[in-house]
Amino acid sequence: MIVIRKVDELRKYSIEQRSKGKTIGFVPTMGFLHEGHISLITRASVECDLVITSLFVNPTQFAPHEDFDSYPRDFEHDYNLAKNADCDVLFVPAREEIYPEGATTSLSVGDLAYVLEGKYRPHFFDGVATVVSKLFSATLPNKAFFGQKDYQQTLVVKALSKDMLMGVEIVVCPIVREPNGLAMSSRNKYLTDDERNKAKILFQSLVATKEFIESGERNRKKINAYLHDSLRKLESLKIDYALAVDASNLEEPNEFDEGSEIVLLLGTILGKTRLIDNMVVKVPITKYNEDDRFQIGLK
Ligand code: AMP
């Protein structure tokens, strides 16, 4: 594995590799790698000839009161984990490589940036879109790999690649969890042992609500109430949002259609730590139409 710190050098590398017919998979991260990140690197190495992973704590996706300064950073730890995974290039740019002095251009995502997570972090998705676009320009990937952990972000990045004609295929990878169900996150480092244990309520509530839906409930308000009731068992958990939306477009119908996909989205704060999580649930099909009845011999 090689380490590249300059944008020009990375772009030269990628142009050379692509001219040799190699495909490039890109895994953007903010570092402090864990098994969730490694799962993206592994998936990228299966689907592409070369894997480039970036480590960059992006200042434009943090508001002034957020944890940019205290965000965990540990280059040696990241280097060793990436090297032991199938990463070919670790891209570690300084801030001025990504935001050259005097840079004023940024991207605006639109409505998707200001709902759910974006309602509580209004600066966040424009910052993500801007940095991902810069990183794509530096990396020239065929495919980029993102975690379902940041569900809304995957929709933003898919729209970015499509709207800006980038031609980068966005691959969404499953959430990797701790043994107690807590979704892995660099920010879990902020949790005390007690909080880490209590935080399993997020996963438990998602699983319970998934079962509620799978038992036949399609009414959005009832599903949301069930999810809230389950989360409220942990009184110290502050709930920014906890709700069921259409997984494809985040819309909120009164009743979800049979066979459609719901995503249960959580934005919460435990102690000083912001925890997000989600689960996609397929709404069961309970009624047969006439053709189905015929095919399964009920006629
Ligand atoms: P971050 O370093 O937190 O910005 O995350 C970099 C990438 O890793 C994003 O695409 C995340 O969605 C993904 N990721 C973070 N945590 C997990 C996890 N527990 N499972 C799968 N992917 C994850």
Side-chain angles (χ1 to χ4, degrees):
M1 184 178 79
I2 55 172
V3 176
I4 295 181
R5 295 182 184 273
K6 299 287 178 197
V7 167
D8 287 350
E9 199 185 325
L10 182 67
R11 205 187 282 117
K12 189 162 162 268
Y13 170 90
S14 293
I15 289 171
E16 271 171 24
Q17 297 300 332
R18 287 190 67 157
S19 73
K20 289 184 206 159
K22 303 274 190 204
T23 54
I24 295 177
F26 177 44
V27 180
T29 83
M30 297 209 298
F32 207 65
L33 301 182
H34 50 69
E35 283 173 47
H37 298 116
I38 300 305
S39 73
L40 305 187
I41 295 175
T42 305
R43 175 83 173 267
S45 74
V46 170
E47 294 196 19
C48 302
D49 297 321
L50 293 166
V51 181
I52 301 176
T53 303
S54 62
L55 307 177
F56 182 66
V57 185
N58 174 36
T60 63
Q61 68 193 63
F62 290 79
H65 66 277
E66 292 182 345
D67 57 343
F68 176 75
D69 289 330
S70 59
Y71 196 85
R73 295 162 170 89
D74 186 342
F75 176 73
E76 213 173 297
H77 162 92
D78 291 345
Y79 179 88
N80 289 327
L81 278 191
K83 193 169 176 210
N84 289 330
D86 284 316
C87 181
D88 298 283
V89 178
L90 200 55
F91 178 48
V92 195
R95 180 178 180 144
E96 25 329 326
E97 279 294 303
I98 302 299
Y99 294 96
E101 214 191 315
T104 56
T105 310
S106 65
L107 283 175
S108 162
V109 169
D111 294 348
L112 191 52
Y114 304 111
V115 296
L116 298 161
E117 189 67 8
K119 191 167 152 198
Y120 296 89
R121 306 185 71 196
H123 51 282
F124 180 68
F125 288 114
D126 286 350
V128 167
T130 300
V131 80
V132 167
S133 137
K134 285 167 178 267
L135 291 169
F136 281 3
S137 298
T139 311
L140 307 175
N142 300 81
K143 296 187 183 188
F145 297 78
F146 291 83
Q148 187 198 312
K149 158 91 189 326
D150 298 271
Y151 190 86
Q152 195 174 351
Q153 174 172 280
T154 64
L155 300 186
V156 165
V157 173
K158 280 181 188 167
L160 170 74
S161 182
K162 178 168 166 273
D163 296 353
M164 302 310 288
L165 318 179
M166 290 171 162
V168 178
E169 184 185 332
I170 306 301
V171 181
V172 179
C173 305
I175 302 173
V176 178
R177 298 179 178 279
E178 304 279 359
N180 74 354
L182 174 65
M184 287 193 179
S185 165
S186 306
R187 286 193 170 98
N188 291 353
K189 183 177 190 288
Y190 303 148
L191 296 169
T192 63
D193 287 347
D194 182 47
E195 286 171 341
R196 193 178 278 260
N197 178 36
K198 287 181 172 152
K200 62 182 181 234
I201 190 80
L202 271 71
F203 180 63
Q204 288 171 341
S205 302
L206 289 171
V207 171
T209 309
K210 176 174 186 279
E211 286 166 2
F212 185 54
I213 296 165
E214 285 172 346
S215 74
E217 186 55 65
R218 295 195 287 120
N219 181 281
R220 183 175 53 81
K221 285 192 176 148
K222 284 189 189 163
I223 295 169
N224 287 349
Y226 193 90
L227 182 58
H228 272 258
D229 285 350
S230 182
L231 286 168
R232 283 209 197 95
K233 287 179 196 145
L234 180 60
E235 282 176 14
S236 53
L237 187 73
K238 180 175 176 297
I239 303 172
D240 280 347
Y241 59 91
L243 74 185
V245 296
D246 185 304
S248 61
N249 53 21
L250 308 183
E251 280 176 7
E252 300 180 87
N254 291 335
E255 296 265 325
F256 291 101
D257 289 339
E258 293 190 356
S260 69
E261 280 192 332
I262 295 176
V263 61
L264 304 169
L265 292 171
L266 306 182
T268 66
I269 298 169
L270 185 58
K272 293 190 175 109
T273 312
R274 186 169 178 82
L275 297 173
I276 61 168
D277 203 344
N278 68 81
M279 190 169 281
V280 176
V281 187
K282 180 124 180 162
V283 183
I285 298 174
T286 52
K287 285 183 237 139
Y288 298 111
N289 64 33
E290 285 304 302
D291 287 349
D292 292 337
R293 286 170 67 85
F294 184 72
Q295 280 179 16
I296 61 175
L298 293 177
K299 266 186 171 171

